[in-house]
Amino acid sequence: MIVRCDQIISPTSGEIVPDHPGIRIGEEYPVLEITTTADRSLLRLPEHGYNRGRRESPGLWDAAMFTVVVDRVPNCWVAQLDDGRLTLAPPEWQRLGFWEEYFDDVPRAVAEYDRLRAKILAQA
C-alpha cells in the first residue's frame, strides 16, 4: 500500500501545519502498518530520508493526512483486534512489546523489522 501526503497534521498538537521534518506534502510513502481505534486511524511509515548508516525510526501519522495511491495490501499483514484497536501489520510486529524492543535496539526486534520492512516494500 502506498499513500500520498496531502496535508500535515502535527503529531504533538493535532493541528494542520505547513511542514514537518519527518514528512513532506506531495511525497508518496509505503505503509508499514495500520492501526485504528474508534476515534483515530494511524499509518506507520518509514522515516523520510532513511539513511542506511543508522537504524530507521518509523513514525505514526494520522491517516487523514493521506490519499491512497496503491491499494495493494502486503501479504504478510494480518488483522488483530485487541481492546477495541484493529491493527493490520505483520504478526511479529503485533506481539506485546515489539515496538519498545525495536526502539530500544534489541537485536531480534531490529532484525524482524528490517526483514519485514523489506518484504513490505517489495510488495508496495
Side-chain angles (χ1 to χ4, degrees), residues 20-96:
H20 188 281
I23 199 157
R24 291 199 176 127
I25 293 174
E27 292 285 321
E28 294 182 0
Y29 299 89
V31 178
L32 302 174
E33 175 181 60
I34 300 173
T35 300
T36 188
T37 62
D39 59 346
R40 193 162 187 206
S41 294
L42 298 171
L43 305 181
R44 188 175 303 273
L45 307 178
E47 181 177 16
H48 179 76
Y50 177 56
N51 178 348
R52 293 204 178 271
R54 64 177 174 76
R55 188 175 53 79
E56 180 177 61
S57 182
L60 287 171
W61 298 94
D62 192 313
M65 295 170 42
F66 303 96
T67 299
V68 175
V69 176
V70 177
D71 63 1
R72 191 172 40 250
V73 175
N75 66 11
C76 63
W77 281 8
V78 298
Q80 179 182 20
L81 184 60
D82 184 29
D83 199 27
R85 181 178 61 196
L86 177 66
T87 302
L88 299 172
E92 294 89 341
W93 295 0
Q94 295 185 34
R95 70 174 168 75
L96 186 62

